[in-house]
Amino acid sequence: MKITINALSKTGLAMLTACTLFYANISQAQTSSAKRHIIVDVGHGQRFYSAPGTSTGNDVAPVERVNYITGEVEKNAGSLNAKVSYLKTAITAESLAKSDVLFMHIPSSKFSPAEVKAIHEYLRKGGSLFLVMDVDYWSTLAQTNVNDLISPYGITYKHDNPDTETNGGYAKAGPVTAGRLSIPYHGARIVEGGSPFCFSNTTQDHPFGVYKALDGGGKIIVMGDGMVSLYMAEWKGVTYPCAEFMQHAFAWLLN
């Protein structure tokens, strides 16, 4: 996903309109069970994501876009009887203790050995991880040791997908998405291992999204393209149900 900041800004209104159409069809009935908890890591140089209302003063994460995408995450969470919080500090066992899903979007700095250990222990005890990376343009594997987080589970980020021309992809029907869903795609990082379920419209040779259910009850989704998790519901004149995909992804991870 090598796109300009301006391209994201220009599609903002279309993204908002298309994504919010999905929420009109979501039941807002709340269950009597305790709220679940999604923690969004924003302490490792995340691209695009930050805590809502944060003023960065740079071109990487403008306030308007941060508020838009975090607002969409919170809508997804709310419809699943979950709350969202943002972790700006180091990841510890204590910070993960009451979390059901740890969401990381394109980190660009390294995780300490203590953080890696805490995340593995969290997954062993039944926690779930939603990890998104993208092409080297945004964050390289030399900058961040994300493979240390997922390689013990047989999943690895590889190099950029050689297909840089295809626009558009899909998630196939399966445990995460009950039916096939179109999702935005343009360039991506290849993901190996797990159960592949996200592909470009051109080929299944280089999947950019995989999932895995762990023995202890935890679950992992690993994505190599950040467009759908940025809720980019319009790309190259095509509308995509980003909110619906993210709803299914969070629901699978939470249940």
Side-chain angles (χ1 to χ4, degrees):
M1 180 196 67
K2 186 176 180 180
I3 55 179
T4 65
I5 299 299
N6 284 341
L8 284 173
S9 300
K10 290 178 181 177
T11 59
L13 290 177
M15 289 159 60
L16 179 61
T17 300
C19 282
T20 51
L21 287 175
F22 170 66
Y23 293 112
N25 298 315
I26 295 176
S27 170
Q28 297 299 320
Q30 296 296 306
T31 69
S32 59
S33 61
K35 276 187 177 293
R36 291 166 290 180
H37 191 187
I38 298 170
I39 288 183
V40 182
D41 172 38
V42 293
H44 292 86
Q46 270 70 17
R47 301 296 187 177
F48 304 107
Y49 268 79
S50 184
T54 299
S55 178
T56 60
N58 60 47
D59 291 333
V60 176
V63 173
E64 182 178 350
R65 186 170 64 250
V66 166
N67 290 342
Y68 165 70
I69 59 180
T70 55
E72 295 301 301
V73 168
E74 289 171 7
K75 288 177 186 177
N76 282 137
S79 69
L80 295 167
N81 195 38
K83 63 180 180 179
V84 180
S85 63
Y86 302 86
L87 184 61
K88 302 177 184 179
T89 56
I91 296 170
T92 64
E94 291 74 21
S95 64
L96 295 176
K98 295 183 179 180
S99 169
D100 298 288
V101 176
L102 174 61
F103 180 42
M104 300 175 171
H105 193 277
I106 315 182
S108 64
S109 65
K110 292 187 182 297
F111 298 87
S112 72
E115 289 179 308
V116 173
K117 181 180 179 181
I119 292 169
H120 290 321
E121 184 69 9
Y122 165 74
L123 292 171
R124 186 185 69 80
K125 292 180 178 179
S128 293
L129 174 66
F130 191 169
L131 176 61
V132 181
M133 284 288 285
D134 211 298
V135 295
D136 281 348
Y137 181 84
W138 297 115
S139 177
T140 71
L141 296 181
Q143 289 176 295
T144 181
N145 54 334
V146 286
N147 278 333
D148 289 348
L149 306 179
I150 56 177
S151 58
Y153 313 102
I155 304 173
T156 309
Y157 279 116
K158 296 294 187 178
H159 54 80
D160 289 359
N161 194 323
D163 175 17
T164 59
E165 301 299 324
T166 299
N167 289 304
Y170 66 94
K172 72 176 185 180
V176 180
T177 52
R180 174 170 168 150
L181 278 180
S182 294
I183 55 177
Y185 164 91
H186 180 74
R189 185 176 297 281
I190 295 171
V191 187
E192 288 187 355
S195 297
F197 78 114
C198 295
F199 309 91
S200 77
N201 286 334
T202 301
T203 177
Q204 291 192 354
D205 288 345
H206 304 297
F208 66 91
V210 307
Y211 66 89
K212 185 168 185 176
L214 306 180
D215 292 339
K219 298 176 180 178
I220 300 175
I221 291 177
V222 177
M223 301 289 292
D225 188 295
M227 297 179 80
V228 67
S229 47
L230 286 171
Y231 295 84
M232 290 190 63
E234 183 178 294
W235 177 247
K236 299 292 185 180
V238 179
T239 299
Y240 296 97
C242 296
E244 185 174 356
F245 173 89
M246 294 295 286
Q247 183 80 7
H248 285 296
F250 281 125
W252 183 74
L253 291 165
L254 286 165
N255 294 311

